Amino acid sequence: MQLEHYIGGRFLATEEEKWTSVLNPANGELLAEVPLATEVTVNEAVAQAKQAQQEWALVPAPKRAQYLYAIGMKMQEKKEHLATVLTKEMGKVIEEGRGEVQEGIDMAFYMAGEGRRLFGETTPSELSNKFAMSVRAPIGVVGLITPWNFPVAIATWKSFPAIVAGNTFVWKPATETPMMAYEMAKIFDEVGLPKGVANIVFGSGGEVGTALIEHPDVKVISFTGSTETGRKVASLGGQHLKKVSLEMGGKNAVIVMDDADLDLAVDGILWSAFGTAGQRCTACSRVIVHKDVKEELEQRLLEAMKQLSIGDGLDESVKVGPVINQKALEKIHYYVEEGQKEGARLLAGGRILTEQPYSQGHFYAPTLFTDVAPDARIAQEEIFGPVVSLIAVADLEEAIQVNNSVQYGLSSSIFTQDINSAFKAQRDLDTGIVYVNAGTTGAEIHLPFGGTKGTGNGHRDSGVAALDVYTEWKSVYIDYSGKLQRAQIDTE
């Protein structure tokens, strides 16, 4: 299968472009060949988006929303197919694949609803016979740079609010997972989205991503990826005075208090830590546990981990799929070795799975450390794999302090039966998302998604807050007094 860029309503690839392979991380199967765009290709995509945006902005927002309803319906119709493609190219188990596609469907319908809102504000003027209001205005061409771990959900978080707000976009998906973007391009085409509103260009971050950020006609950059890359995106975007929205890393913790329902806590930890093989920005990589229940929680986790089936995500019985590639395997194993050098005690896992049926894929055994120091590298740095560190604390105050001691601030969780502890935690945990008696993952599309500190730069994906990324506020004053009235001066 050969993929093609989607530019100005056409599928195309040029002879000058190099090609790369897309492989199934579970078994090494060749899935597709994908072209790597040159700067010329990027420029053409931006030109098509710019040309289309002028007319698209004039389409009434409820009419723009009708396209999102149609996209959501088409995604619903193709849900099983999309989930299968997603699992093949990314590796997450099919159940999670279906959930991710559903998230995109939900986002289509939710943002379509904003076509009847896009609320501004009306306010009294301080002057007589004068009307004052603020409205949202589209910005122009948006550049979207999305990661491989959620190849459709995150793209819909970004593209759908951009569409309903009257913008057009050029989307660069991750090189590892271009097939889901290609499937979305086909959906955009099938529902008749006007040419140039959606443009998809494949290629590397260094070439395509940089070209998008530096292009003078791209007014907004929305990026999800590593904090290291996000800093570069912010720096380069800042040089060009662009609005830049960043959603980056996490080092998320589940706090387990001494009064917690431990069975529920174990369920939450397993789902948060080992779902998507730990390759989520919201993955639980630390468990901060009260010292009085530490040993019991360890034993329950170890027993539960024995039940985790590992393998190809298309097998309905599998709970943990592969990691994305060999480089990811090596990074995960490096951190496991570092953890042992630092004195943490390895309770389970800690190895690359090379025996059959894992030899052709990229599998890492679910891994559990205990007696981890809060300042250890495995407790501070993002590993992005199925590795969990247990950290013992004496009380809630210490648990909150340990949670907040990392450079990230995306998601956190507390398991407790004490309502006072729950409210103190949700107030004091320095993260953009807080869960009570649930794991660190499971965001819903109608609430803002994003974090503090090294996780982001103040913007949010999802929810109404996402519209702030893709709109400018315009203040409008209408004076019908028939004379010049000066604000702050002619008020007496």
Side-chain angles (χ1 to χ4, degrees):
M1 179 183 183
Q2 288 194 329
L3 309 185
E4 294 176 300
H5 310 295
Y6 184 65
I7 299 174
R10 295 186 300 129
F11 292 93
L12 57 90
T14 68
E15 295 181 357
E16 295 79 16
E17 294 172 341
K18 297 178 181 179
W19 292 71
T20 191
S21 300
V22 182
L23 305 178
N24 186 327
N27 55 30
E29 172 194 3
L30 175 64
L31 298 174
E33 298 287 344
V34 60
L36 301 177
T38 63
E39 187 174 350
V40 172
T41 310
V42 175
N43 290 342
E44 176 61 19
V46 175
Q48 291 289 330
K50 182 180 180 181
Q51 181 178 342
Q53 198 272 329
Q54 296 176 21
E55 291 188 12
W56 183 241
L58 298 177
V59 174
K63 296 290 186 182
R64 298 195 294 257
Q66 288 179 7
Y67 288 99
L68 290 183
Y69 282 121
I71 290 167
M73 292 298 293
K74 186 64 68 172
M75 291 179 72
Q76 184 71 58
E77 176 186 320
K78 293 187 172 187
K79 182 176 178 178
E80 192 64 22
H81 168 70
L82 294 173
T84 300
V85 171
L86 194 160
T87 291
K88 283 183 176 181
E89 74 166 346
M90 186 271 151
K92 65 178 58 176
V93 300
I94 188 66
E95 180 182 39
E96 292 184 59
R98 293 182 187 118
E100 181 175 344
V101 175
Q102 185 61 50
E103 192 164 2
I105 295 166
D106 294 344
M107 194 66 183
F109 294 151
Y110 179 80
M111 275 300 158
E114 287 304 310
R116 293 276 174 186
R117 291 184 288 268
L118 286 178
F119 292 143
E121 294 180 327
T122 61
T123 67
S125 171
E126 64 185 39
L127 297 167
S128 301
N129 298 314
K130 186 177 180 181
F131 182 79
M133 66 179 174
S134 62
V135 296
R136 290 185 183 271
I139 300 177
V141 178
V142 174
L144 308 178
I145 303 173
T146 59
W148 50 261
N149 61 331
F150 283 85
V152 68
I154 291 176
T156 64
W157 291 357
K158 299 177 185 299
S159 62
F160 292 172
I163 286 173
V164 80
N167 305 285
T168 58
F169 65 88
V170 179
W171 169 20
K172 190 209 87 64
T175 309
E176 296 87 350
T177 53
M179 294 174 66
M180 287 307 296
Y182 189 67
E183 293 293 332
M184 289 304 297
K186 291 192 288 187
I187 289 174
F188 296 150
D189 204 57
E190 289 170 14
V191 303
L193 189 66
K195 296 177 180 180
V197 173
N199 303 272
I200 298 172
V201 179
F202 303 114
S204 69
E207 187 156 357
V208 176
T210 300
L212 275 177
I213 297 167
E214 293 186 330
H215 200 293
D217 290 331
V218 176
K219 303 303 182 184
V220 180
I221 294 291
S222 182
F223 167 85
T224 296
S226 71
T227 299
E228 179 185 5
T229 304
R231 287 193 178 101
K232 295 176 182 177
V233 172
S235 177
L236 189 56
Q239 293 175 35
H240 295 273
L241 298 179
K242 296 184 188 293
K243 179 186 282 190
V244 177
S245 172
L246 303 175
E247 200 288 296
M248 302 177 289
K251 192 65 182 176
N252 314 291
V254 169
I255 296 171
V256 181
M257 296 307 297
D258 53 345
D259 65 341
D261 180 335
L262 293 186
D263 288 333
L264 180 60
V266 167
D267 288 343
I269 292 165
L270 290 184
W271 169 239
S272 299
F274 304 125
T276 322
Q279 301 170 113
R280 298 172 175 143
C281 53
T282 56
C284 166
S285 58
R286 298 180 295 159
V287 173
I288 302 170
V289 56
H290 194 285
K291 59 184 177 58
D292 291 349
V293 294
K294 172 180 174 289
E295 291 187 10
E296 184 177 355
L297 182 68
E298 284 177 359
Q299 293 308 309
R300 293 193 187 205
L301 280 172
L302 286 171
E303 287 301 313
M305 288 172 65
K306 292 176 183 177
Q307 307 304 314
L308 292 174
S309 52
I310 306 167
D312 189 327
L314 290 177
D315 183 339
E316 296 277 0
S317 68
V318 166
K319 297 301 181 185
V320 182
V323 299
I324 190 66
N325 53 31
Q326 182 65 30
K327 184 179 178 180
L329 273 182
E330 293 169 359
K331 177 186 175 184
I332 294 164
H333 196 60
Y334 166 78
Y335 273 105
V336 168
E337 291 180 330
E338 285 298 301
Q340 292 173 290
K341 290 177 185 177
E342 289 181 310
R345 185 157 55 94
L346 182 65
L347 295 180
R351 67 188 185 93
I352 299 172
L353 301 177
T354 57
E355 67 273 19
Q356 289 293 347
Y358 309 116
S359 59
Q360 300 303 310
H362 308 295
F363 293 91
Y364 203 89
T367 298
L368 181 64
F369 278 105
T370 192
D371 300 333
V372 179
D375 60 352
R377 289 188 66 192
I378 59 171
Q380 288 286 320
E381 299 175 19
E382 187 174 39
I383 299 172
F384 225 61
V387 180
V388 181
S389 297
L390 265 65
I391 303 168
V393 293
D395 52 34
L396 176 62
E397 286 68 29
E398 185 182 2
I400 291 170
Q401 184 274 323
V402 170
N403 178 87
N404 294 347
S405 68
V406 297
Q407 65 169 313
Y408 304 104
L410 180 53
S411 182
S412 58
S413 158
I414 182 169
F415 284 85
T416 181
Q417 301 299 313
D418 185 337
I419 189 67
N420 294 330
S421 294
F423 269 86
K424 287 178 183 176
Q426 66 84 21
R427 180 193 64 192
D428 296 338
L429 291 169
D430 189 5
T431 55
I433 305 168
V434 177
Y435 294 91
V436 176
N437 292 325
T440 56
T441 192
E444 300 181 33
I445 56 89
H446 48 285
L447 291 178
F449 183 93
T452 63
K453 299 186 289 188
T455 290
N457 64 340
H459 294 293
R460 292 293 185 267
D461 286 327
S462 205
V464 175
L467 294 170
D468 291 334
V469 177
Y470 306 106
T471 55
E472 294 282 13
W473 282 108
K474 180 182 292 186
S475 296
V476 180
Y477 301 97
I478 303 171
D479 192 317
Y480 51 97
S481 67
K483 61 182 179 181
L484 175 64
Q485 297 192 97
R486 297 167 298 174
Q488 293 89 45
I489 296 175
D490 298 325
T491 57
E492 295 299 328

